[in-house]
């Protein structure tokens, strides 16, 4: 039990360090869009997600509706459903309903990737170990970024505004290079997004992202359905 | 509207998305369209969020473009996320300093 937890924590260290630096960028962006250090840190503590939080602070900054918030989170975070679904197939018997309720908080891209890579069934203590280290990195990074963002010279905090977008590019470009179908979806989505930005300005950027993503992912699903064995 | 309500809704939706399949769903998804859609949606979301917003991310279009080009090149060569993000930021910073000279 205890060793599972420690093993999880050690597997969580690279994730936690990565989160620390990325969430630093989120903290800066959050403060720049008008949130307090505390609000930014609480958002990171209760969400534990990068793109979803960026979209979330955009809705808050634009004084968007609650519907806009719900839709943006649904579209951007829906991938976690697939990951949760996939993980649910390889849980140990110790994973009772209360454990599942608690651990589902920590299903992120990276934690999912680590858990999926395990050859044995996942026990709760192991997953809690990864989640703990990762969440500490994520929350601490946000706090530091939000706090430092207020003290830093304007030029530095401006330049850091590109951090998260740089990370997003690093997520989408390598698979686009390898798979033409993903490249098509990425380009379609970018082109639609540009059209919304400059031609259909009546629609707020939050809804524009949702529409672009749903349309281009649907086009991808129709034109390039994934083979059956490649699911999840 | 109060920020607390936004945060509550945000966290609630995000949690439910993760929790429902983790706790309740035991069967595999059958629909090929849904499986494909779910596979493509993260890339589509990130692409639409990044372009063209990245060009406005530093407050100066030229500096942002410099950072973007560096990020694209480094990402193309498969460098780790953090390296890509930090180098984009540093190059945008250098560009900002040159622009303000």
């Amino acid at each position: 039990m205890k060793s599972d937890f420690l093993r999880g924590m050690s597997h969580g260290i690279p994730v936690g360090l990565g989160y620390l630096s990325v969430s630093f960028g989120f903290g800066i962006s959050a403060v720049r869009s008008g949130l307090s250090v505390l609000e930014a840190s609480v958002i990171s503590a209760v969400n534990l997600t990068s793109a979803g939080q960026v979209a979330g602070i955009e809705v808050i900054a634009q004084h968007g509706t609650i519907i806009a918030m719900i839709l943006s989170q649904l579209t951007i975070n829906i991938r976690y459903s697939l990951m949760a679904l996939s993980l649910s197939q390889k849980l140990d018997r110790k994973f009772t309903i209360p454990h599942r309720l608690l651990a589902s908080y920590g299903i992120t891209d990276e934690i999912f990737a680590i858990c999926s890579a395990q050859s044995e069934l996942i026990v709760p203590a192991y997953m809690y170990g990864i989640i703990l280290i990762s969440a500490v990195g994520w929350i601490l990074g946000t706090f530091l970024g939000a706090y430092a963002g207020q003290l830093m010279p304007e030029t530095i905090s401006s330049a850091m505004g590109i951090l998260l977008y740089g990370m997003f590019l690093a997520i989408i470009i390598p698979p686009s290079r390898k798979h033409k179908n993903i490249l098509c979806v990425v380009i379609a989505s970018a082109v639609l997004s540009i059209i919304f930005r400059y031609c259909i300005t009546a629609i707020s950027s939050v809804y524009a992202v949702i529409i672009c993503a749903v349309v281009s992912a649907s086009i991808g699903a129709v034109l390039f359905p994934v083979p059956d064995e490649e699911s999840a | 509207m109060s920020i607390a309500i936004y945060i509550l809704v945000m966290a609630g939706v995000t949690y439910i998305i993760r929790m429902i399949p983790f706790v309740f769903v035991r069967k595999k998804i059958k629909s090929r369209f849904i499986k494909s859609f779910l596979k493509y949606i993260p890339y589509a979301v990130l692409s639409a969020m990044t372009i063209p917003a990245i060009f406005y991310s530093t407050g100066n279009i030229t500096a942002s473009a410099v950072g973007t080009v560096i990020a694209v090149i480094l990402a193309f060569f498969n460098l780790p996320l953090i390296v890509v993000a930090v180098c984009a930021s540093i190059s945008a910073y250098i560009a900002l300093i040159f622009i303000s000279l």
Side-chain angles (χ1 to χ4, degrees), chain A residues 47-48 63-64 77 81 85 100-101 104-105 107 159-160 163 174 177 181 186 189 193 198 224 226 230-231, chain B residues 6 10 14-15 17-18 22 25 29 32 35-36 39-40 44 47-51 56-58 76 78 85 89:
Chain A
N47 284 279
L48 205 65
H63 302 287
N77 293 334
S81 287
L85 193 63
R100 287 178 187 233
L101 284 170
S104 45
Y105 156 78
I107 300 169
M160 286 187 134
L163 267 178
R177 209 187 139 184
N181 48 358
V186 163
S189 192
S193 177
Y198 301 107
F224 318 104
V226 293
E230 206 190 299
S231 59
Chain B
Y6 278 122
M10 198 174 157
T14 306
Y15 178 70
I17 287 169
R18 289 163 161 157
F22 206 56
V25 182
I29 295 179
R32 205 159 168 222
K35 279 196 290 190
S36 308
K39 181 193 163 183
Y40 292 127
S47 178
M49 279 182 78
T50 305
I51 297 165
Y56 302 93
S57 63
T58 67
F76 188 81
N78 252 327
S89 196

Side-chain angles (χ1 to χ4, degrees), chain A residues 104-162:
Chain A
S104 45
Y105 156 78
I107 300 169
T108 69
D109 306 54
E110 291 75 11
I111 293 172
F112 166 74
I114 292 180
C115 289
S116 317
Q118 297 307 302
S119 49
E120 66 268 41
L121 293 175
I122 306 293
V123 292
Y126 173 73
M127 202 164 158
Y128 292 146
I130 309 180
I131 294 172
L132 178 69
I133 295 293
S134 310
V136 166
W138 187 248
I139 299 162
L140 186 65
T142 306
F143 172 79
L144 294 174
Y147 191 70
Q150 298 173 318
L151 308 174
M152 255 190 265
E154 175 69 24
T155 323
I156 297 183
S157 67
S158 295
M160 286 187 134
I162 205 171

